[in-house]
Amino acid sequence: MTLISRASPSCRVLTDLTRCTIRRSGVCGLAKNAEASRMKETCVSFSSSSRYSAKISQLLHLDNAGIGIRRGRRSIVAASPPTEDAVVVTEPLTKEDLVGYLASGCKPKEKWRIGTEHEKFGFEFGTLHPMKYEQIAELLNSIAERFDWEKVMEGDYIIGLKQGKQSISLEPGGQFELSGAPLETLHQTCAEVNSHLYQVKAVAEEMGIGFLGIGFQPKWGLKDIPVMPKGRYEIMRNYMPKVGSLGLDMMFRTCTVQVNLDFSSEADMIRKFRAGLALQPIATALFANSPFTEGKPNGYLSMRSHIWTDTDNNRAGMLPFVFDDSFGFEQYVDYALDVPMYFVYRKKKYIDCAGMSFRDFLAGKLPCLPGELPTLNDWENHLTTIFPEVRLKRYLEMRGADGGPWRRLCALPAFWVGLLYDEDSLQNVLDMTADWTTGERQMLRNKVPKTGLKTPFRDGLLRHVAQDVLKLSKDGLERRGFKETGFLNEVAEVVRTGVTPAEKLLDMYHGKWRESVDPVFEELLY
């Protein structure tokens, strides 16, 4: 739930946004025919005098790397509260502006990067209890002082750290998240993960604290989980039970690993979005790692994934409209406008607007801020409160995998980079999944959390599809030329045997662990 991910630097200045065809709405164009749309990526530029450029420049005060968002001399990064506005809005935002904001993520292939995020559970070695906020604060302060990170505060509370283009942030139940820098190769990504885990472990072990790589809290109930002192989460905690039965479990008891990837144009975004959605259940199966709840098997291989099916269906799911011929940036904006809001951030405070409409906000009719109009920062913040299996911001987020041990933190970005950053592999995925129906994709989404690679699909099992997909990913990585295929070894073993990580844990639970989940804290200790 990082507020501003590092995966995809925005175009450095809007007046030089050149990888998209502009139609009347001012964004990348998409031909109706899918094949034609792949060809239609002509280079044009926004006018430097356009009203749109002036508006979006309020938000995109970018540093030389095109990464940070600056307010005066202060750089705001992922771990911080939402950005506030650099200038006062003088003209109302239009839907065109919101569409253009997404389009501003287009960038040429040579500027595509890999951004990896992962979450983990901290626990006390002696008791296995979750870390308390006071322990987390001590840990953050010690990491900052020992390894030269800058502290991020919300009021008097330390809530994160930042260092260059990396950030550390806290999820609602104290899950510790690294949002990595935008990096060129998977070697850099895995080195970043290893460096982070070394730093955390060096400090945490002195405190009697360990970190667990798993998708769902295996031992403790909601009442045992500490609540982090972040205003955003208080609003979500009050709202979640109104819209689903498992939202609080999502907030306080899940961990994920995700990768954030770039696109060159609207047509490229659509192709990657569709491939990512179609194959997300395969990623869920390959990385399934959450079979325990409160000390017992819960009947699922990925409880984390199942939880999203009854968290808030207004803002989660498989987004079937992405496969419509008319889909593009504008259609995603229409979807996002209808996702109920959580909050607006003003004067370093979260204002509870839960359930209200961003469309009303555009019209100056938001009940929690009557007469006030939104900024692009408000739009950016709203986009972070939408949680589908693949999420669009100015890049695409692959969100279907459980958290896990460090080798899997490297394998997840490798899996998707091989599929989506290689043109041949991407086209092969689209060809393979072209006749999958909406019903079949949803069936996989519903059944995979329970049955994993053994889920029946057409004339075989999902495992057989995963074998083909893994080969496409490996081939794509080979063509990249960075010797990155070794990062797939962890998932290659899962595909070869058909046994998911969760099933291995269940075998140990019923065998040498003698029906206790406590050994998982050692088995999956970072």
Side-chain angles (χ1 to χ4, degrees):
M1 286 185 234
T2 306
L3 297 180
I4 305 168
S5 170
R6 293 308 188 244
S8 167
S10 305
C11 302
R12 200 164 292 178
V13 288
L14 249 302
T15 56
D16 193 34
L17 178 62
T18 58
R19 295 296 291 180
C20 307
T21 301
I22 296 181
R23 58 188 176 205
R24 276 180 241 176
S25 62
V27 297
C28 308
L30 175 69
K32 198 165 187 179
N33 178 279
E35 188 65 28
S37 73
R38 291 172 52 206
M39 307 297 295
K40 197 172 180 184
E41 300 183 12
T42 330
C43 294
V44 290
S45 296
F46 284 107
S47 164
S48 60
S49 62
S50 72
R51 181 174 63 85
Y52 172 74
S53 285
K55 280 186 182 177
I56 204 165
S57 68
Q58 296 172 21
L59 180 63
L60 306 182
H61 294 286
L62 300 179
D63 60 17
N64 289 334
I67 302 297
I69 296 180
R70 295 195 176 276
R71 186 167 68 244
R73 295 184 178 180
R74 182 182 172 194
S75 180
I76 304 300
V77 294
S80 69
T83 55
E84 294 183 82
D85 296 320
V87 295
V88 175
V89 175
T90 55
E91 294 182 65
L93 286 180
T94 65
K95 180 178 166 183
E96 174 185 307
D97 298 320
L98 308 184
V99 173
Y101 172 83
L102 295 179
S104 72
C106 299
K107 56 180 58 63
K109 185 171 184 176
E110 61 269 20
K111 292 186 178 181
W112 292 356
R113 296 294 182 264
I114 305 162
T116 304
E117 304 178 20
H118 80 270
E119 302 158 355
K120 50 201 167 291
F121 294 108
F123 66 95
E124 299 174 352
F125 280 133
T127 65
L128 304 183
H129 278 290
M131 290 178 71
K132 304 176 183 70
Y133 172 73
E134 293 73 20
Q135 293 169 309
I136 292 171
E138 180 183 347
L139 178 63
L140 289 171
N141 280 314
S142 297
I143 292 173
E145 291 156 10
R146 190 175 305 187
F147 298 105
D148 196 30
W149 288 72
E150 184 178 344
K151 299 175 186 179
V152 177
M153 310 296 292
E154 184 171 319
D156 296 330
Y157 296 102
I158 184 169
I159 59 164
L161 303 172
K162 61 179 181 176
Q163 185 183 78
K165 299 163 191 174
Q166 300 178 75
S167 66
I168 295 171
S169 57
L170 302 179
E171 291 300 296
Q175 303 97 313
F176 217 70
E177 178 176 7
L178 172 70
S179 297
L183 301 170
E184 292 188 47
T185 73
L186 292 163
H187 299 288
Q188 295 169 349
T189 290
C190 206
E192 175 188 65
V193 169
N194 287 337
S195 174
H196 167 75
L197 293 176
Y198 164 76
Q199 293 182 13
V200 171
K201 189 173 181 179
V203 176
E205 283 188 343
E206 296 173 1
M207 299 171 56
I209 297 294
F211 280 91
L212 177 67
I214 198 166
F216 188 79
Q217 166 57 248
K219 184 175 177 70
W220 303 106
L222 277 172
K223 67 182 188 326
D224 304 307
I225 309 296
V227 179
M228 295 301 102
K230 297 178 70 171
R232 166 185 175 130
Y233 297 152
E234 180 67 20
I235 293 169
M236 292 173 64
R237 185 167 62 140
N238 293 333
Y239 182 70
M240 283 289 185
K242 301 174 183 177
V243 291
S245 67
L246 299 175
L248 296 182
D249 288 307
M250 180 279 292
M251 290 180 65
F252 292 100
R253 296 203 286 178
T254 63
C255 281
T256 187
V257 54
Q258 70 177 53
V259 65
N260 305 326
L261 300 172
D262 291 320
F263 45 79
S264 62
S265 67
E266 184 173 46
D268 188 43
M269 177 276 293
I270 292 166
R271 298 172 75 230
K272 287 172 176 170
F273 209 150
R274 290 173 177 169
L277 282 171
L279 297 187
Q280 209 62 218
I282 292 178
T284 299
L286 292 174
F287 291 84
N289 191 43
S290 48
F292 305 120
T293 299
E294 296 180 26
K296 303 289 184 184
N298 53 36
Y300 292 89
L301 302 179
S302 177
M303 184 64 178
R304 183 208 60 83
S305 180
H306 169 67
I307 278 169
W308 278 111
T309 65
D310 193 15
T311 288
D312 182 351
N313 288 330
N314 285 319
R315 67 185 75 242
M318 289 290 281
L319 307 189
F321 64 87
V322 171
F323 295 86
D324 293 346
D325 289 344
S326 61
F327 178 70
F329 289 125
E330 184 175 359
Q331 287 69 31
Y332 194 85
V333 167
D334 284 331
Y335 159 72
L337 283 172
D338 290 328
V339 173
M341 296 175 64
Y342 281 152
F343 61 81
V344 175
Y345 190 72
R346 291 289 185 273
K347 298 178 182 178
K348 300 184 179 179
K349 298 287 186 183
Y350 291 89
I351 299 169
D352 189 344
C353 303
M356 298 178 191
S357 163
F358 207 96
R359 290 187 191 274
D360 288 344
F361 200 6
L362 278 178
K365 297 178 181 178
L366 195 65
C368 63
L369 282 174
E372 188 156 343
L373 295 169
T375 66
L376 281 168
N377 295 343
D378 295 320
W379 178 237
E380 178 180 51
N381 294 332
H382 180 59
L383 292 175
T384 70
T385 69
I386 302 171
F387 309 123
E389 293 296 285
V390 177
R391 178 164 66 181
L392 174 63
K393 297 185 193 170
R394 285 178 289 166
Y395 44 86
L396 287 166
E397 302 178 352
M398 303 294 122
R399 297 171 46 83
D402 285 359
W406 75 268
R407 288 185 188 276
R408 271 177 250 153
L409 303 183
C410 304
L412 187 277
F415 177 76
W416 287 114
V417 167
L419 293 171
L420 302 186
Y421 272 9
D422 177 77
E423 178 59 33
D424 289 347
S425 290
L426 175 57
Q427 186 55 49
N428 281 326
V429 168
L430 293 170
D431 291 344
M432 175 193 299
T433 61
D435 67 342
W436 292 13
T437 66
T438 300
E440 286 176 320
R441 292 191 301 269
Q442 188 61 47
M443 178 277 293
L444 291 175
R445 171 69 188 91
N446 293 341
K447 291 188 175 181
V448 160
K450 186 178 281 282
T451 51
L453 292 174
K454 297 179 178 65
T455 304
F457 185 70
R458 296 192 171 179
D459 295 329
L461 300 176
L462 189 62
R463 176 187 173 190
H464 304 139
V465 183
Q467 290 171 337
D468 295 336
V469 170
L470 184 64
K471 184 179 187 307
L472 292 177
S473 178
K474 183 178 179 181
D475 291 347
L477 290 181
E478 285 179 347
R479 284 189 287 267
R480 273 169 57 82
F482 294 120
K483 300 186 184 301
E484 297 167 317
T485 57
F487 293 114
L488 291 175
N489 290 346
E490 187 78 3
V491 290
E493 177 69 9
V494 176
V495 171
R496 185 185 68 80
T497 63
V499 179
T500 63
E503 288 165 303
K504 288 186 176 181
L505 294 178
L506 287 166
D507 285 344
M508 288 186 280
Y509 172 85
H510 290 294
K512 64 181 180 179
W513 293 356
R514 298 182 180 180
E515 299 192 348
S516 169
V517 299
D518 290 2
V520 80
F521 287 84
E522 182 177 354
E523 180 72 23
L524 296 181
L525 176 70
Y526 285 111

